[in-house]
Amino acid sequence: MTSNSSLSARDQLVNWHPYTQMQTAPPPIGIVRGEGAVLYAEDGKEYIDAVSSWWVNVHGHAHPHIAERVSQQLRTLEHVIFAGFTHAPAVELSERLLRLLPPNQTRVFYTDNGSTAVEVALKMALQYWYNQGLQKTKIIAFEGSYHGDTFGAMSVSERSVFTRPFQQYLFDVEFLPVPVPGQEAATLAKLKQILAQNDIAAFVFEPLVLGTAGMVMYAPEVLDQLLQLCQEHHVITIADEVMTGFGRTGKRFACDYLTRQPDLMCFSKGLTGGTMALGVTTCSQQVYDIFLSDDKTKALFHGHSYTANPVACAAGLASLDLVEDTSFQQNLNRISAAHAAYVKSLTGKPGIKACRQTGTILAIEFEVGETSYFHSLRDQLYALGLENGVLLRPLGNIIYVLSPYCITQEQLTRVYETIDQMRLLVLQSFSA
């Protein structure tokens, strides 16, 4: 294969893509440039990135402000070991992030991605009790949850075809039903039953929206009740805001809707505006203090070669500049209102099983019988989106929209029109 061959052709000779059956998947689309909410392919076609390239890109592709900050940092300090050393981008990013988070969050631990941010939170929670000589070792999570693909994160995620080959290596977890509207009492009752065991170390949850489950949504009021029960039973609470953080729910963080606050919080994806790989786990002073000791074995023994990489931290700082700009909340409100109006337009239309919306997150579930990640409709919907120049990655028969906040109303309209065409496809395919 010569260098003149397409990116797609060259890719197929050397790369192995995530969540992809490489034998049957169509060739990947070669992307050569991005700007705002648009991706530009090597064949000249344009795609509206309606999923923010796996939920990471919150401000738009190739944002000039982030690019400039990253460029400056590359000319100053590209990396330094974070054990025994520190640097300005990491200190400033921690300072600024903590100012935006609930006041009980006082410390920042850096990793590389969402899975590792959750992994660290689990290790913090388990060692919190171990350092005190207490046998509290079990974790609670929601049914249908997804927290990452490392082994601890897999353990606290839904047991499924994705985790089946590794089942024997995952630790046992107590799973709660998601407190969707009408099921709140059942979830609260189940939690009380589990907490009676008195051996629960932590409760890890996706606040308000379970992403991979199909954008399943529940109310902040019931989450407050769950947190209250956990705190009354001295259970560490972990908010996985990897997806919901930095504006997705209509506020900066999903936990901004709560009156009670978690002990630990996990962030990645939008942390750098989707520019660099970076993960963060924050914790309360109460958690942090349990690791302080003259006994060196009570330290948290976790680290990554690229922990607190200065270039990634610089991208995070630039992203926070944009998060704190007045236009940020205006865009959240604009997109949320547009989604709400579109949901209203779908009310009563055939082919629609359910519509769910929290802030800028929109999910539409098509009526095709049983909901499944592997539903045969998925590939048809995906292809239709690409034909229309819109990148949407269906979760089975569920379409979701998590766009960059710079998306224009014209672009949103095009996304909605594509979903309308998908509804017609559903009706044609499942009219029987």
Side-chain angles (χ1 to χ4, degrees):
M1 190 67 67
T2 69
S3 60
N4 292 327
S5 299
S6 70
L7 284 175
S8 178
R10 291 161 59 195
D11 178 280
Q12 292 178 86
L13 295 177
V14 294
N15 287 331
W16 188 347
H17 290 264
Y19 285 94
T20 301
Q21 176 45 260
M22 298 299 293
Q23 180 163 301
T24 59
I29 297 169
I31 298 297
V32 296
R33 186 169 69 89
E35 183 178 354
V38 179
L39 296 168
Y40 297 85
E42 60 184 333
D43 63 1
K45 188 163 185 177
E46 301 176 10
Y47 298 92
I48 298 172
D49 188 356
V51 297
S52 296
S53 289
W54 249 341
W55 320 347
V56 302
N57 192 291
V58 293
H59 307 298
H61 292 281
H63 196 287
H65 178 64
I66 299 178
E68 179 58 31
R69 288 293 297 267
V70 167
S71 176
Q72 291 173 7
Q73 187 59 48
L74 280 169
R75 294 191 294 269
T76 305
L77 175 67
E78 85 299 338
H79 189 62
V80 62
I81 183 174
F82 207 59
F85 291 82
T86 192
H87 51 81
V91 173
E92 186 181 349
L93 181 57
S94 295
E95 290 171 341
R96 290 181 60 184
L97 186 58
L98 290 174
R99 285 200 294 268
L100 298 180
L101 294 179
N104 72 325
Q105 300 296 294
T106 65
R107 296 283 171 166
V108 174
F109 193 98
Y110 286 99
T111 56
D112 300 342
N113 56 64
S115 295
T116 55
V118 171
E119 203 83 10
V120 166
L122 295 173
K123 291 177 75 171
M124 285 179 175
L126 291 168
Q127 191 174 341
Y128 174 85
W129 301 112
Y130 178 87
N131 279 3
Q132 299 177 74
L134 298 173
Q135 292 298 311
K136 299 184 74 168
T137 58
K138 288 187 179 178
I139 309 290
I140 303 171
F142 280 133
E143 296 172 355
S145 59
Y146 172 80
H147 295 287
D149 291 331
T150 51
F151 274 84
M154 275 197 297
S155 293
V156 296
S157 300
E158 171 79 3
R159 300 297 195 268
S160 68
V161 66
F162 304 124
T163 61
R164 193 175 298 154
F166 321 106
Q167 195 75 21
Q168 63 178 313
Y169 305 106
L170 306 182
F171 56 77
D172 290 336
V173 172
E174 298 280 1
F175 286 103
L176 283 178
V178 184
V180 295
Q183 297 298 315
E184 297 92 343
T187 302
L188 289 164
K190 179 67 173 179
L191 179 59
K192 290 176 183 178
Q193 176 188 339
I194 294 171
L195 291 174
Q197 300 173 25
N198 292 319
D199 60 353
I200 304 299
F203 168 42
V204 58
F205 57 93
E206 297 166 86
L208 308 188
V209 184
L210 278 70
T212 303
M215 303 300 162
V216 174
M217 302 177 184
Y218 63 101
E221 292 78 13
V222 67
L223 182 53
D224 269 322
Q225 295 178 65
L226 296 172
L227 293 180
Q228 179 179 352
L229 283 170
C230 286
Q231 290 162 1
E232 288 173 351
H233 286 78
H234 307 290
V235 169
I236 296 295
T237 52
I238 305 169
D240 177 355
E241 290 239 26
V242 169
M243 187 269 281
T244 57
F246 305 100
R248 290 298 181 193
T249 63
K251 294 190 177 184
R252 283 177 178 166
F253 305 103
C255 286
D256 289 345
Y257 288 91
L258 304 176
T259 55
R260 291 182 174 269
Q261 294 300 334
D263 301 294
L264 297 101
M265 302 180 75
C266 306
F267 304 96
S268 188
K269 292 195 183 290
L271 176 61
T272 65
T275 303
M276 303 282 291
L278 186 65
V280 154
T281 305
T282 67
C283 72
S284 67
Q285 192 67 33
Q286 177 182 338
V287 170
Y288 177 75
D289 285 345
I290 295 300
F291 291 80
L292 302 180
S293 174
D294 292 330
D295 181 354
K296 291 185 178 180
T297 66
K298 290 191 174 182
L300 178 65
F301 291 107
H302 189 102
H304 297 228
S305 299
Y306 284 95
T307 293
N309 174 257
V311 182
C313 289
L317 286 166
S319 180
L320 284 189
D321 290 340
L322 302 173
V323 167
E324 295 182 281
D325 189 86
T326 55
S327 63
F328 180 79
Q329 189 62 52
Q330 292 170 358
N331 279 329
L332 299 186
N333 296 341
R334 174 179 61 83
I335 295 168
S336 299
H339 284 348
Y342 181 59
V343 167
K344 187 176 181 180
S345 76
L346 292 176
T347 302
K349 288 190 174 180
I352 304 295
K353 182 177 181 179
C355 295
R356 296 184 286 275
Q357 184 207 352
T358 297
T360 71
I361 304 171
L362 171 64
I364 296 163
E365 187 169 351
F366 292 119
E367 183 64 77
V368 294
E370 184 178 353
T371 296
S372 168
Y373 185 93
F374 292 100
H375 199 286
S376 60
L377 181 65
R378 184 268 175 199
D379 291 344
Q380 298 176 60
L381 297 177
Y382 180 64
L384 177 58
L386 294 180
E387 288 172 13
N388 285 351
V390 178
L391 172 55
L392 292 162
R393 281 184 62 88
L395 296 167
N397 57 307
I398 299 171
I399 285 288
Y400 66 86
V401 181
L402 280 92
S403 66
Y405 306 139
C406 63
I407 193 169
T408 66
Q409 187 57 47
E410 181 182 4
Q411 290 167 336
L412 273 175
T413 298
R414 189 166 157 199
V415 172
Y416 299 151
E417 289 172 348
T418 299
I419 296 173
D420 289 339
Q421 291 184 36
M422 291 177 172
R423 184 180 68 85
L424 296 178
L425 173 63
V426 170
L427 291 174
Q428 293 169 4
S429 302
F430 295 89
S431 57

